[in-house]
Amino acid sequence: MIAASDEFGPGWFERGFPHIWLPYAQMQTAPAPSAVAATAGVRIRLSSGRELIDGIASWWTACHGYNHPHIVQAIRAQAAVMPHVMFGGLVHEPALTLARRLSDLTLGAGSRVFFSDSGSVAVEVALKMAVQYWINRGVGGRRKFVGFRGGYHGDTMATMAVGDTAEGMHRLFAGYLPEHFVIDLPRDAQSLREFEGFLTAHRGDIAGVIIEPMVQGAGGMKFHDAEILAGIFAASRRHGLLCIADEIFTGFGRTGSMFACRAAEVAPDIMCVSKALTGGAMGLAATIASNEVFAAFQSDDPMKALMHGPTYMANALACAAANASLDLFERGPVIERARAMQAKLAAGLAPCRSIPGVADVRAMGAIGVVQLEASRGIDWLRSRFAANGLWIRPFGDVVYLTPALTIEDADLNALTAGINTVLAEWSKR
Ligand SMILES: *Cc1c(COP(=O)(O)O)cnc(C)c1O
């Protein structure tokens, strides 16, 4: 089981908690967070000694489960040689090997990888690249992006502006953000034609289209078909726009293919990855640009260079972790397991359909979603799941599972059964 580790000294929670500011939390009313002592596989061990089965994989990062020995060993080995070195004027093997592997796995020949340390920054870099692509080519006016309602691309100012500013968690900032075109995601042939009409009307203003392929994650776990994605890409191409695929949620097997773009056979001009890139061990992100995008930055003019460089870009520990995670995808049937999980999630969650207050159940790859009719009792649900030994964090009007791709059937069954039980109680409240 999980090894104990209590070297923190007594009272660390009581003494430290008054100094911490937590994410997405009303600090005055939010229930106190649980103190974690250790993780292993799909288990989170609390300081109290209780264990939770993890249904979220720490915001879907820990795709091979926590503390995978191959990843831990890679970080250890890298730490012994060089935890970090600046990436300006210097490079190192873990970063160049990872760039080659990511390039091969995503946009292919001639593509280039720009590293950063979080998903939001990877998207910022993608937006900056797209705007500068047009400037470098001497095309004026193309400064706006098309994003989609229900989309989520990060928490920083530029990424909030291409997400759902009308209804999403960032609506408070609507008036402060640059205005882009955030429109309904096409759902059928008719709305695809309307989308194309929209592009025709505004093409001179638009630098590119940004989309989470196949699944809008943190904005509500909403799925769309491969044909819709292909239609959006085709229309954008016809108007000469850059297609930016934000695969930060979908990348690395989550939807049942290594990348969601691959399932729909679309080739973005720029792709963003992060989250599961290091198997959940370290913060790392990459913005991958096609050969054509990169070519627009090739010049004898220094002003045409990409003016960006996060201090910790291509951190060697994180690159080593990411290379180790990619090894695991190569060595075992991880993707196959993710694909096979779809039927298990669908079957395990199907009985929820008959619970009053549940609108829908859906699954894609290793994503299982119970759609509620309305957001109600979210804090109650969270605490009931924890009381049942499960780590499940519903938000808005969805209860979802994004477990490690390697989770055993017994643990997956415990998660889906727990959702059935707790939602049945919830419906009677
Ligand atoms: C999580 C996420 C981001 C932001 O990543 P951070 O590392 O939290 O900045 C952006 N896009 C998508 C699709 C995500 O799921």
Side-chain angles (χ1 to χ4, degrees), residues 24 59-60 117-123 152-156 159 212 215-218 246-250 272 274-275 284-285:
Y24 304 111
W59 284 324
W60 43 97
D117 24 36
S118 77
S120 299
V121 174
V123 175
Y152 173 81
H153 299 289
D155 291 345
T156 57
T159 61
E212 293 161 89
V215 183
Q216 293 181 309
D246 179 351
E247 291 244 17
I248 294 169
F249 174 78
T250 52
C272 302
S274 184
K275 292 263 167 55
L284 183 68

Side-chain angles (χ1 to χ4, degrees), residues 95-108:
L96 265 52
T97 299
L98 181 60
R100 173 182 57 75
R101 294 172 88 178
L102 284 177
S103 182
D104 286 350
L105 282 169
T106 59
L107 307 199

Side-chain angles (χ1 to χ4, degrees), residues 49-65:
R50 288 185 59 226
E51 279 190 9
L52 305 179
I53 302 175
D54 184 5
I56 306 300
S58 281
W59 284 324
W60 43 97
T61 58
C63 54
H64 312 288

Side-chain angles (χ1 to χ4, degrees), residues 50-247:
R50 288 185 59 226
E51 279 190 9
L52 305 179
I53 302 175
D54 184 5
I56 306 300
S58 281
W59 284 324
W60 43 97
T61 58
C63 54
H64 312 288
Y66 295 110
N67 314 18
H68 193 289
H70 184 61
I71 297 176
V72 172
Q73 174 49 33
I75 295 172
R76 230 180 233 136
Q78 186 60 46
V81 197
M82 177 180 70
H84 182 72
V85 67
M86 67 184 278
F87 212 60
L90 301 171
V91 294
H92 48 78
E93 184 276 333
L96 265 52
T97 299
L98 181 60
R100 173 182 57 75
R101 294 172 88 178
L102 284 177
S103 182
D104 286 350
L105 282 169
T106 59
L107 307 199
S111 59
R112 298 276 172 156
V113 176
F114 188 94
F115 287 113
S116 56
D117 24 36
S118 77
S120 299
V121 174
V123 175
E124 294 264 348
V125 170
L127 300 174
K128 201 162 160 182
M129 259 180 200
V131 168
Q132 196 178 343
Y133 168 87
W134 294 111
I135 295 173
N136 281 3
R137 293 182 35 161
V139 180
R142 287 181 174 261
R143 274 186 234 130
K144 293 191 186 247
F145 291 92
V146 176
F148 297 100
R149 293 211 175 91
Y152 173 81
H153 299 289
D155 291 345
T156 57
M157 290 307 224
T159 61
M160 285 196 288
V162 290
D164 197 330
T165 44
E167 297 201 0
M169 51 183 135
H170 297 136
R171 56 183 177 272
L172 209 63
F173 292 92
Y176 294 85
L177 300 173
E179 293 214 349
H180 295 296
F181 301 113
V182 180
I183 61 177
D184 284 333
L185 188 74
R187 290 276 153 207
D188 51 25
Q190 170 60 24
S191 51
L192 266 176
R193 276 192 296 278
E194 286 164 18
F195 173 68
E196 179 118 33
F198 182 87
L199 296 187
T200 309
H202 297 283
R203 57 179 297 172
D205 301 329
I206 305 173
V209 176
I210 180 162
I211 186 167
E212 293 161 89
M214 307 297 286
V215 183
Q216 293 181 309
M221 302 287 168
K222 296 202 169 59
F223 303 167
H224 54 266
D225 296 337
E227 299 83 72
I228 293 291
L229 183 62
I232 291 170
F233 269 64
S236 306
R237 282 272 141 69
R238 278 192 290 277
H239 290 82
L241 306 178
L242 294 177
C243 296
I244 305 173
D246 179 351
E247 291 244 17

